[in-house]
Amino acid sequence: MRPRETAGAFTQGLQEVNAGADLTFATSVREGHRLLYGLRYIVADIGPNELFEPDLDLTTSFTNEGYDRTLGAYIEYHSKIRENVKFVLGVRGESNDFREDDTRYFPRMSFIHRLSDAWTLKYILSTGYHRPTVTQASRTDHLVTAEEGQTTR
């Protein structure tokens, strides 16, 4: 495989093929209140990957070939406060075994106000995570490492 051209001093060739499945369930607790919950499983076949530096005519192959498995679970509580206002409170957990070998939790909360059939306001507070790319997880001189990741709030 020949790496693709990118802007900057090097080119890189990254291979990753993903497959996954989601299961989602809903249970009515009582009128106007319900629970949503589910599971997600994703497996990625990674590599081989390489970095090519044209100025040095040097190709570096990464040793990060393998299967990256992520298992996630979530639960959300939905409550109808008024006819046109809904409150949502939830948490999601994800565990990853290859790039990070870590489990992270992401809380979320929102108010959804339906003004009319055409307009809705959503007030959302949540956290998220951007998993490092294959190259970031394997290079030690990169600003973002697999242990640090990129967390957004």
Side-chain angles (χ1 to χ4, degrees):
M1 168 185 78
R2 189 68 176 163
R4 65 180 172 80
E5 293 296 322
T6 60
F10 61 86
T11 61
Q12 57 189 6
L14 304 175
Q15 291 183 357
E16 182 172 324
V17 177
N18 294 288
D22 284 297
L23 293 172
T24 302
F25 305 95
T27 301
S28 181
V29 179
R30 62 179 196 249
E31 187 171 340
H33 302 267
R34 66 183 183 144
L35 288 176
L36 294 179
Y37 49 98
L39 297 171
R40 169 179 277 184
Y41 179 74
I42 300 172
V43 63
D45 184 4
I46 300 173
N49 296 300
E50 60 184 31
L51 179 70
F52 179 67
E53 299 180 44
D55 295 338
L56 303 175
D57 196 25
L58 176 68
T59 299
T60 304
S61 294
F62 299 110
T63 58
N64 58 352
E65 290 184 54
Y67 289 97
D68 185 20
R69 292 170 190 84
T70 300
L71 178 62
Y74 76 94
I75 187 165
E76 289 184 352
Y77 170 71
H78 291 236
S79 176
K80 192 177 202 180
I81 296 174
R82 293 192 312 202
E83 189 59 37
N84 60 342
V85 178
K86 182 171 35 170
F87 172 71
V88 179
L89 183 65
V91 66
R92 175 179 188 79
E94 281 194 2
S95 178
N96 182 267
D97 71 347
F98 184 71
R99 292 180 225 189
E100 300 162 311
D101 195 18
D102 192 15
T103 300
R104 296 176 183 265
Y105 298 95
F106 311 104
R108 63 180 76 169
M109 181 177 70
S110 64
F111 286 94
I112 302 168
H113 187 178
R114 196 178 93 225
L115 301 174
S116 69
D117 288 340
W119 290 92
T120 302
L121 291 176
K122 293 183 179 181
Y123 311 95
I124 302 170
L125 174 66
S126 66
T127 60
Y129 180 73
H130 175 73
R131 181 159 281 116
T133 66
V134 175
T135 305
Q136 290 171 339
S138 61
R139 293 182 67 193
T140 58
D141 64 335
H142 196 276
L143 179 62
V144 178
T145 66
E147 290 77 29
E148 295 168 346
Q150 297 174 355
T151 303
T152 59
R153 294 189 196 280

